């Protein structure tokens, strides 16, 4: 049956962890011990909206790492199947049906289409399989359909505000982004997928923070590049042809698209001979950090994939195994939501 699942072979994505180890087994007490005694193995399913998305791969990497650590330290065998939904909700529904049919102990869902959450929640509720959504947030009405449904992610509005703050900090330090001196910052906005909470709220809050601080802005162009570098590069090339030097700032809903923007700008002669333009992203991908160090990017906002993966694994394991995971998280969480804070990254803060 396992063979019917799509297995991922990349370094980052494991489909199966089964190193049984009694080493380092911490004694459990009371209720935990009796629950643990009843389970020698836990089966966890993780479905990814698209394993071609570098940020999602980073989360997945982290889930795998913490699962391996947990197994090392406990006497419960951990089986994790990680499935790539290839940006196809029909495929994802099928994968979730399979996990349910095989009675997995807990499931983590990186949903393709947020509008599909109610349907998935109905199914896992009926099968009584606790489910953790991550990165792509269902609306509260859906989250409230069952008390064993959780969300782990980062607050989208906060990341947008921090993008605005990066620009504001630079302006307050004396950077002159207003090249044509008209008292207004002309910007273009690269957006992620339409309907994704991070696209909607990052676009809105980045600009709102500037406007609230008294900075006048004008949007020259704004369009989706679907989180993708290649599409973003194409958009910026078009916008450069259309607006040229009038573009004073490039704001991007994520780093992948910011990196695409940088490639386009470079092709148009930027970042050479002191010709520069501020580009701001979100995520904190390694290549974005490199671009910041090379003065090709003004800054990014850390969307902490490592901590998100850690929290997802910890929750999933605790729900599935019925014993507390060894993962320690210093974040406050309410019954259903756990939020990992963002952080501003600029040249000054990179060590
Ligand atoms: C990230 C994007 C990613 C998207 C996928 C966002 O939080 O910033 O890089 O493509 O999630 O859902």
């Amino acid at each position: 049956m396992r063979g019917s699942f799509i297995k991922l072979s990349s370094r980052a994505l494991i489909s199966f962890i089964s190193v049984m180890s009694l080493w380092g087994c911490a004694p459990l007490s009371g209720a935990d011990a009796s629950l643990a005694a009843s389970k020698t193995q836990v089966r966890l399913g993780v479905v990814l909206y698209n394993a071609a998305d570098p940020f999602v791969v980073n989360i997945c990497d982290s889930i795998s790492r913490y699962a391996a650590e947990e197994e090392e330290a406990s006497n419960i065998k951990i089986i994790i199947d990680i499935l790539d939904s290839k940006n196809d909700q029909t495929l994802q529904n099928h994968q979730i049906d399979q996990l349910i049919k095989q009675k997995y102990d807990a499931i983590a869902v990186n949903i393709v289409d947020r509008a599909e959450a109610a349907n998935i929640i109905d199914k896992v509720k009926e099968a009584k399989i606790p489910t953790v959504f991550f990165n792509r947030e269902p609306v509260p009405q859906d989250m409230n359909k069952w008390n064993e449904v959780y969300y782990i992610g980062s607050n989208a509005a906060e990341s947008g505000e921090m993008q605005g703050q990066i620009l504001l900090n630079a302006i307050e330090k004396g950077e002159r982004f207003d090249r044509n001196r008209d008292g207004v910052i002309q910007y273009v906005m690269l957006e992620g997928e339409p309907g994704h909470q991070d696209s909607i709220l990052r676009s809105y809050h980045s600009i709102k923070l500037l406007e609230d601080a008294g900075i006048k802005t004008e949007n020259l162009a704004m369009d989706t590049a679907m989180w993708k570098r290649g599409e973003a590069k194409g958009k910026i090339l078009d916008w450069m042809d259309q607006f040229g030097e009038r573009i004073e700032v490039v704001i991007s809903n994520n780093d992948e698209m910011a990196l695409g923007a940088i490639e386009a700008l470079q092709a148009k002669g930027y970042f050479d001979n002191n010709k520069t333009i501020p580009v701001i992203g979100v995520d904190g991908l390694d290549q974005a950090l490199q671009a910041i160090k090379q003065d090709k990017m003004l800054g990014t906002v850390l969307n902490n994939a490592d901590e998100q993966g850690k929290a997802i694994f910890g929750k999933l394991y605790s729900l599935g195994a019925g014993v507390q995971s060894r993962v320690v998280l210093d974040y406050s969480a309410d019954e259903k939501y756990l939020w990992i804070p963002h952080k501003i990254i600029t040249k000054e803060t990179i060590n």
Side-chain angles (χ1 to χ4, degrees):
M1 212 42 212
R2 185 173 299 276
S4 67
F5 291 119
I6 293 165
K7 295 281 172 61
L8 302 165
S9 55
S10 118
R11 169 193 66 83
L13 305 174
I14 58 156
S15 60
F16 188 69
I17 296 182
S18 64
V19 191
M20 179 71 166
S21 167
L22 296 175
W23 178 85
C25 183
L28 295 167
S29 59
D32 272 2
S34 59
L35 271 166
S38 65
K39 262 195 183 165
T40 54
Q41 145 175 322
V42 59
R43 290 195 309 162
L44 309 172
V46 179
V47 281
L48 305 179
Y49 97 94
N50 187 359
D53 182 316
F55 177 73
V56 166
V57 169
N58 285 349
I59 295 182
C60 187
D61 233 349
S62 167
I63 294 175
S64 306
R65 207 168 46 250
Y66 286 101
E69 278 179 21
E70 183 84 44
E71 192 170 59
E72 274 282 304
S74 85
N75 57 354
I76 299 179
K77 178 171 161 181
I78 300 173
I79 294 170
I80 293 195
D81 270 301
I82 298 179
L83 309 170
D84 177 8
S85 304
K86 300 184 183 222
N87 213 10
D88 177 346
Q89 189 60 60
T90 309
L91 172 61
Q92 183 166 81
N93 289 346
H94 175 69
Q95 291 168 330
I96 292 171
D97 288 345
Q98 292 297 310
L99 295 170
I100 292 174
K101 208 164 139 197
Q102 304 236 332
K103 298 192 175 12
Y104 271 61
D105 296 301
I107 301 176
V109 180
N110 180 214
I111 199 165
V112 175
D113 175 1
R114 292 167 70 214
E116 195 61 23
N119 176 29
I120 294 172
I121 293 168
D122 287 343
K123 287 189 203 176
V124 292
K125 180 179 176 186
E126 206 192 316
K128 297 195 177 56
I129 301 179
T131 297
V132 180
F133 286 87
F134 65 97
N135 172 255
R136 300 158 78 94
E137 187 187 340
V139 293
Q141 296 92 295
D142 293 344
M143 287 295 295
N144 290 330
K145 289 188 98 175
W146 189 33
N147 57 354
E148 288 277 38
V149 170
Y150 306 88
Y151 181 76
I152 293 175
S154 293
N155 182 304
E158 179 185 81
S159 53
E161 282 166 8
M162 288 188 178
Q163 287 190 292
Q165 193 66 51
I166 291 172
L167 268 168
L168 186 63
N169 290 348
I171 292 168
E172 285 175 348
K173 271 199 196 146
E175 293 277 1
R176 291 262 283 280
F177 301 137
D178 181 17
R179 213 171 355 196
N180 61 4
R181 314 253 170 120
D182 65 349
V184 181
I185 299 285
Q186 274 81 23
Y187 70 94
V188 293
M189 178 80 74
L190 287 164
E191 296 204 278
E193 272 170 273
H196 192 304
Q197 80 279 347
D198 289 337
S199 308
I200 301 163
L201 296 172
R202 285 175 188 166
S203 298
Y204 176 74
H205 285 280
S206 51
I207 297 305
K208 182 170 188 299
L209 186 129
L210 291 169
E211 293 277 341
D212 287 352
I215 307 288
K216 288 198 174 57
T217 64
E218 179 189 355
N219 177 239
L220 294 178
M222 175 166 192
D223 202 358
T224 178
M226 298 301 286
W227 302 123
K228 292 186 184 145
R229 192 183 297 208
E231 288 193 30
K233 183 175 178 182
K235 285 269 165 301
I236 296 290
L237 286 173
D238 289 350
W239 292 341
M240 286 307 296
D241 288 344
Q242 205 177 335
F243 304 107
E245 305 263 319
R246 285 186 63 211
I247 303 175
E248 293 172 333
V249 169
V250 177
I251 306 177
S252 170
N253 285 172
N254 79 344
D255 282 349
E256 266 299 293
M257 297 188 294
L259 291 163
I262 290 168
E263 284 178 20
L265 292 163
Q266 222 150 356
K268 294 282 181 186
Y270 280 83
F271 313 119
D272 260 350
N273 309 320
N274 291 330
K275 190 174 176 191
T276 184
I277 181 168
V279 178
I280 300 122
V282 176
D283 281 341
L285 297 183
D286 286 346
Q287 284 186 49
L289 304 191
Q290 289 311 317
I292 293 171
K293 284 184 193 161
Q294 294 162 0
D295 292 319
K296 292 178 183 166
M297 211 167 147
L298 180 67
T300 187
V301 175
L302 177 67
N303 189 9
N304 201 329
D306 186 55
E307 287 292 279
Q308 288 179 28
K310 182 178 177 182
I312 294 160
F313 170 74
K315 188 72 186 171
L316 202 58
Y317 179 83
S318 300
L319 292 168
V323 287
Q324 198 58 42
S325 152
R326 281 158 178 78
V327 162
V328 178
L329 290 162
D330 292 332
Y331 309 112
S332 61
D334 70 14
E335 279 167 18
K336 283 181 157 286
Y337 290 88
L338 190 143
W339 301 105
I340 308 289
H342 293 97
K343 223 165 81 188
I344 285 180
I345 303 179
T346 55
K347 205 169 178 185
E348 298 83 62
T349 63
I350 296 180
N351 37 39

